[in-house]
């Protein structure tokens, strides 16, 4: 899979998601499904999106004891998603167990989904890290350490802010994928995101996939906004 724009389909129901994606007529964007939609609709939403021709990033961010994550990943492997993820904070052992489960659970005729680690959530800042989690290190050092742990566990990459993508590539190698949310057009609303970057800047810095939600889903013309992202990011 090469560089692509992933639309964060943060809708409450499958019906709303399909209605939104029907606007794209011939095009089949890569989509991200989060916990809210998956918990409401179950595995059928992944299967349906795949049968409609979309690639699917199933963003469930697993974080539990290694045995539970391994067994859960065995189940998730059968749903047909293209990318799944875990929290790097669950330890290197947990990430390795996740990969083991995925490999064991892939159907004979299927492909293993890419396995990505969330480093630190963008909602966690330096104060929260120190005061709430008692981690007394600079946040970018923690992010890079978690990225290296993910690499050691043979994961395929990390979710990180676009600002961190270049450093992650320098430390973990160019083939280690960086998936970057927090993307905004220069003339658009920032909303609740803190550290944002334009699709063009994310391309420049070497991000592999950008995850874009509201700048596309809430646009007056979502298809035009998606095309603009693709032009700016993929070229
Ligand atoms: O609407 P917006 O473009 O901000 O959506 C970004 C998407 O990426 C949301 O689905 C959000 O949950 C997700 N995300 C994020 N920051 C992270 C991890 C995931 O914004 N660190």
């Amino acid at each position: 899979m090469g560089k692509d724009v992933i639309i964060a389909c943060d809708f409450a129901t499958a019906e709303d998601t399909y209605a939104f994606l029907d606007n794209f007529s011939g095009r089949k964007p890569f989509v991200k499904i989060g916990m809210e939609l998956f918990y409401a609709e179950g595995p059928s939403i992944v299967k349906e999106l795949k049968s409609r021709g979309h690639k699917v990033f199933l963003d469930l961010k697993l974080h539990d004891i290694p045995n539970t994550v391994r067994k859960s990943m065995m189940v998730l492997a059968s749903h047909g998603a293209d990318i799944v993820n875990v929290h790097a904070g669950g330890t290197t052992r947990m990430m390795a167990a996740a990969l083991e489960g995925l490999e064991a659970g892939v159907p004979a005729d299927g492909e293993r989904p890419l396995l990505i680690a969330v480093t630190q959530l963008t909602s966690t800042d330096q104060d929260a890290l120190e005061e709430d989690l008692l981690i007394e290190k600079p946040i970018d050092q923690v992010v890079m350490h978690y990225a290296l742990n993910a690499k050691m566990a043979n994961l395929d990459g990390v979710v990180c802010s676009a600002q961190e993508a270049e450093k992650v590539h320098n430390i973990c190698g160019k083939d280690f994928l960086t998936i970057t949310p927090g993307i905004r057009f220069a003339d658009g609303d920032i909303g609740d995101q803190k550290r944002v970057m334009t699709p063009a800047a994310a391309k420049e810095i070497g991000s592999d996939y950008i995850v874009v939600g509201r700048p596309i889903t809430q646009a007056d013309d979502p298809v035009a906004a998606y095309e603009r992202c693709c032009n700016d990011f993929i070229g």
Side-chain angles (χ1 to χ4, degrees):
M1 288 196 279
K3 271 187 186 293
D4 211 345
V5 173
I6 303 178
I7 304 181
C9 286
D10 293 322
F11 298 105
T13 66
E15 207 183 350
D16 291 347
T17 308
Y18 303 147
F20 169 76
L21 292 172
D22 283 344
N23 292 316
F24 290 79
S25 42
R27 295 207 63 167
K28 300 290 179 187
F30 203 137
V31 295
K32 180 174 89 70
I33 298 302
M35 285 186 248
E36 183 187 0
L37 195 52
F38 187 78
Y39 293 156
E41 303 289 349
S44 65
I45 182 128
V46 180
K47 291 186 174 137
E48 179 61 26
L49 287 166
K50 288 296 295 179
S51 75
R52 288 172 181 237
H54 297 276
K55 285 188 173 157
V56 177
F57 172 12
L58 185 56
D59 180 18
L60 300 181
K61 301 186 181 76
L62 275 66
H63 188 166
D64 208 315
I65 59 170
N67 188 50
T68 301
V69 170
R70 183 175 55 78
K71 290 196 290 186
S72 304
M73 278 297 178
M74 273 181 79
V75 178
L76 286 187
S78 68
H79 295 341
D82 299 276
I83 303 180
V84 295
N85 60 0
V86 292
H87 269 289
T91 73
T92 310
R93 226 180 105 217
M94 188 209 75
M95 290 191 272
L99 184 58
E100 240 180 73
L102 264 191
E103 282 172 346
V106 183
D109 57 346
E111 259 182 59
R112 174 176 76 71
L114 294 174
L115 179 59
I116 302 294
V118 177
T119 51
Q120 280 293 336
L121 293 171
T122 42
S123 52
T124 305
D125 59 12
Q126 188 67 42
D127 286 347
L129 203 66
E130 287 176 22
E131 288 159 26
D132 208 291
L133 304 177
L134 293 184
I135 298 174
E136 308 225 334
K137 298 271 188 199
I139 195 158
D140 70 320
Q141 204 175 317
V142 177
V143 167
M144 295 313 144
H145 182 68
Y146 283 14
L148 267 176
N149 285 352
K151 168 106 179 147
M152 271 183 6
N154 284 321
L155 268 62
D156 300 295
V158 288
V159 180
C160 62
S161 80
Q163 279 89 351
E164 291 153 356
E166 193 172 21
K167 205 165 171 192
V168 168
H169 278 143
N170 289 342
I171 291 176
C172 298
K174 287 274 173 270
D175 293 342
F176 194 67
L177 299 173
T178 53
I179 302 189
T180 61
I183 300 297
R184 293 294 181 267
F185 293 120
D187 52 2
D189 262 356
I190 287 183
D192 58 354
Q193 291 285 11
K194 299 250 185 287
R195 293 185 298 150
V196 299
M197 200 179 260
T198 63
K203 175 187 183 179
E204 197 61 31
I205 213 158
S207 171
D208 295 292
Y209 294 88
I210 52 172
V211 175
V212 190
R214 289 160 291 180
I216 294 176
T217 58
Q218 307 298 311
D220 291 337
D221 184 344
V223 179
Y226 172 69
E227 301 286 359
R228 185 177 170 194
C229 280
C230 291
N231 287 336
D232 291 357
F233 182 65
I234 307 167

